[in-house]
Amino acid sequence: MQIRLKNIGIINDSTLALDGLTVITGKNNSGKTTVGKTLYAILDAVADVQKKAQIDRNLYIRGQLAEVWQTLTTGFRFSYKPEKSEFSRYPALCILLFGEDILNSLQDMEIYAHQFEEELRVVDSALMESYRINNLRYISEETAGGIRFAKPQEDFDVQRQQALALLERMFNALERDPDLVDYTRESINQTLRAEFSGQIQPVRAPDAASLVELSESGSSGPVYFHFSVEGNSIVNDGHPVFGGVPVKKVYMVDDPFILDDFNAPRHPARLLSHDMPEMIVTPTRIQTHNQKLKRALRMPATSNIFEQTVLDANLKTIREQIDSVVSGSFKFSEESNYYLQNGAKVKLGNMATGSKMFSIIKILLEKGELDGSTMLILDEPEAHLHPQWQNAFAEVIVLLVRELGVRVLLTTHSPNFMLALDAHMRKYDMGDRTNFYQTEAVGGGFVRYQCVNDNMERIYDDFLRYLSEMKELRDRYMSGRRTSDDQ
């Protein structure tokens, strides 16, 4: 599998292989995180897309029915529910108009909405008139700001037609995209915009032609994603932008302190696109990578007994390596979250920062979230690790790829961590499934990624250059040698 990015962030035009372990190195502000965010956004947007679409359809219908309720009740205040016998022929009408809680538990809102529409068309006007005259209290002219309302029976006929028009518009919107082409495009679009805070394209060249493509390696392989970006939104040219992908789960880890506060409220993503007149995609459902990771770390394990048996056999070496750093277990509750070791009960927020990255990987493993269908994105995972633990973590990463088939994309600034990845890749004979990239400036504030599998010394020379500069400076002062530049 490979991903191509053209004019995304500060990336000019680069293609990176994602066949096993992919390592990106480079200076700060060289676009390394851009690949991870793009990859997370497109993969997460389509994960369980059918299920997400059903949830969003239900939420969309619920929102439209709220408008219908408002239309049918404008100008009145309900006093109490009617007798059941009066409206026994109109159960769906009763649920919406008279506030029965059952509406909140319905699994298929579309079936209910059709039933409601049928009842609204045929509901006995005389029954509604009688109820509204006897059991509803008109808002006084004073309360209504001097507006004089029509009589109840006249209002109901007008409001019924308005409500039916709203329902017709809603059903048309639901039927417009049976194959989820538009839905998938908009889901990817909103997830990308959430990850990039609405700024997907280059700031220095906002009008540049931008492209994202994910495909199998090689020119003849299938294309999984292909879309252009204009105005920081995916171009809607009427064609599908997604055609299936072997990766079913994706996690991006860039902040070990996420373990400190699992229970922080989730802030809904803002509505970032207004391209669809009737928005089926629910913006509050879009999850940034940290929101998704928090949820995954707390959720119950998903693997069955047989799957766990197979997983345990493959995990033996990986567990041993992780247990050398964090050998305990984890307990999550509504009150607090703990790390348990040798009878001690430590709140996760009080764990050593370096051990938190190991802990995140361990929890995801225990919950069955890391396997051959997973893409794991790690942004500078060594940042809080001592070189000894960097070596151990590098081995864990290589083993995740080798033993479980996890695809891993990671970025690093550390020469020690880079060397550890290189060494363990060779120890476990993973050369054919590992790719190393280095960022390269191409002018105008843009960068591209250069594969250096056949010239790894480029990476080490870059690291050593800065180490040598500081060693030379240190030696100069130790020997008492100064230059005019030192004054």
Side-chain angles (χ1 to χ4, degrees), residues 64-297:
Q64 296 300 302
L65 288 177
E67 287 192 38
V68 170
W69 178 88
Q70 187 69 39
T71 298
L72 292 173
T73 59
T74 298
F76 296 91
R77 290 177 180 169
F78 289 105
S79 56
Y80 57 85
K81 295 179 182 180
E83 293 293 332
K84 289 288 185 181
S85 58
E86 296 177 8
F87 285 85
S88 59
R89 290 177 294 168
Y90 312 112
L93 199 70
C94 286
I95 289 174
L96 182 66
L97 288 184
F98 308 126
E100 294 194 12
D101 293 337
I102 190 173
L103 184 64
N104 295 323
S105 62
L106 293 177
Q107 296 299 311
D108 196 325
M109 294 294 297
E110 193 166 355
I111 293 176
Y112 165 77
H114 279 291
Q115 183 182 350
F116 176 84
E117 181 193 34
E118 292 176 6
E119 293 180 8
L120 183 60
R121 289 186 183 279
V122 301
V123 63
D124 188 340
S125 297
L127 177 62
M128 291 300 297
E129 177 183 340
S130 173
Y131 175 78
R132 296 179 75 162
I133 291 176
N134 297 323
N135 299 331
L136 293 174
R137 179 167 60 85
Y138 245 20
I139 299 176
S140 68
E141 289 186 28
E142 180 182 354
T143 304
I147 299 174
R148 184 181 298 278
F149 290 95
K151 293 181 179 179
Q153 62 269 32
E154 295 172 353
D155 277 351
F156 177 71
D157 289 336
V158 172
Q159 292 169 340
R160 171 167 28 195
Q161 293 307 312
Q162 292 173 342
L164 289 171
L166 287 172
L167 290 168
E168 182 180 7
R169 184 190 70 177
M170 178 187 75
F171 290 129
N172 287 337
L174 292 171
E175 293 171 2
R176 188 172 57 231
D177 187 28
D179 296 325
L180 300 181
V181 172
D182 292 334
Y183 175 86
T184 303
R185 181 190 302 108
E186 187 61 22
S187 183
I188 298 170
N189 188 42
Q190 290 201 36
T191 310
L192 264 175
R193 288 174 60 82
E195 281 296 313
F196 286 91
S197 300
Q199 202 168 60
I200 304 169
Q201 294 178 274
V203 176
R204 294 181 177 88
D207 298 325
S210 300
L211 172 74
V212 175
E213 182 176 276
L214 186 71
S215 62
E216 265 312 317
S217 300
S219 58
S220 61
V223 176
Y224 303 121
F225 293 85
H226 181 92
F227 56 84
S228 300
V229 179
E230 292 180 5
N232 288 306
S233 289
I234 294 178
V235 175
N236 183 355
D237 57 5
H239 295 100
V241 299
F242 167 66
V245 68
V247 174
K248 306 301 180 185
K249 295 175 287 188
V250 57
Y251 292 102
M252 181 172 179
V253 185
D254 62 359
D255 179 14
F257 296 102
I258 198 170
L259 284 175
D260 293 356
D261 186 12
F262 274 146
N263 300 319
R266 187 172 82 84
H267 300 290
R270 292 181 178 180
L271 180 59
L272 296 169
S273 174
H274 304 282
D275 295 337
M276 298 177 65
E278 290 87 14
M279 183 61 64
I280 306 299
V281 178
T282 306
T284 55
R285 184 193 50 73
I286 303 298
Q287 298 181 97
T288 63
H289 62 273
N290 276 331
Q291 291 166 350
K292 181 180 180 180
L293 183 59
K294 278 188 178 185
R295 182 180 175 187
L297 293 173

Side-chain angles (χ1 to χ4, degrees), residues 222-475:
V223 176
Y224 303 121
F225 293 85
H226 181 92
F227 56 84
S228 300
V229 179
E230 292 180 5
N232 288 306
S233 289
I234 294 178
V235 175
N236 183 355
D237 57 5
H239 295 100
V241 299
F242 167 66
V245 68
V247 174
K248 306 301 180 185
K249 295 175 287 188
V250 57
Y251 292 102
M252 181 172 179
V253 185
D254 62 359
D255 179 14
F257 296 102
I258 198 170
L259 284 175
D260 293 356
D261 186 12
F262 274 146
N263 300 319
R266 187 172 82 84
H267 300 290
R270 292 181 178 180
L271 180 59
L272 296 169
S273 174
H274 304 282
D275 295 337
M276 298 177 65
E278 290 87 14
M279 183 61 64
I280 306 299
V281 178
T282 306
T284 55
R285 184 193 50 73
I286 303 298
Q287 298 181 97
T288 63
H289 62 273
N290 276 331
Q291 291 166 350
K292 181 180 180 180
L293 183 59
K294 278 188 178 185
R295 182 180 175 187
L297 293 173
R298 284 189 62 89
M299 69 183 180
T302 56
S303 54
N304 59 40
I305 294 177
F306 178 76
E307 290 174 331
Q308 192 60 48
T309 302
V310 175
L311 191 63
D312 285 344
N314 292 334
L315 277 176
K316 182 178 179 181
T317 307
I318 305 175
R319 286 184 184 277
E320 290 175 353
Q321 193 64 47
I322 294 179
D323 284 344
S324 68
V325 178
V326 283
S327 59
S329 59
F330 301 89
K331 180 181 179 181
F332 307 109
S333 67
E334 294 300 323
E335 294 75 30
S336 193
N337 308 294
Y338 296 95
Y339 170 61
L340 309 177
Q341 183 182 39
N342 300 326
K345 191 176 181 181
V346 181
K347 286 189 175 182
L348 294 188
N350 292 328
M351 290 181 69
T353 302
S355 63
K356 289 176 182 176
M357 188 60 72
F358 281 89
S359 299
I360 290 171
I361 299 301
K362 184 172 185 175
I363 296 169
L364 289 176
L365 279 170
E366 291 175 346
K367 294 182 183 299
E369 291 300 303
L370 300 181
D371 55 34
S373 67
T374 306
M375 171 65 69
L376 179 62
I377 304 164
L378 303 170
D379 192 20
E380 300 178 24
E382 81 289 351
H384 299 280
L385 301 179
H386 181 277
Q388 179 184 5
W389 280 10
Q390 288 184 13
N391 296 344
F393 196 77
E395 185 169 11
V396 168
I397 295 305
V398 171
L399 288 171
L400 286 176
V401 179
R402 181 176 184 266
E403 301 297 331
L404 301 182
V406 179
R407 297 174 193 256
V408 177
L409 169 70
L410 67 83
T411 67
T412 180
H413 284 306
S414 167
N416 183 88
F417 189 53
M418 177 67 207
L419 185 61
L421 290 167
D422 190 357
H424 286 300
M425 174 271 291
R426 299 176 192 281
K427 172 184 175 181
Y428 291 104
D429 194 23
M430 287 282 295
D432 60 337
R433 298 170 63 188
T434 305
N435 292 282
F436 295 91
Y437 292 87
Q438 187 178 36
T439 59
E440 180 181 70
V442 293
F446 286 90
V447 301
R448 67 183 175 193
Y449 295 106
Q450 184 72 29
C451 182
V452 293
N453 290 354
D454 298 328
N455 189 13
M456 295 287 289
E457 296 309 313
R458 282 186 52 175
I459 294 178
Y460 295 118
D461 287 346
D462 185 58
F463 284 136
L464 290 173
R465 170 188 169 187
Y466 303 103
L467 181 63
S468 298
E469 286 180 359
M470 290 300 101
K471 185 177 185 303
E472 181 182 349
L473 181 64
R474 173 179 178 273
D475 291 347

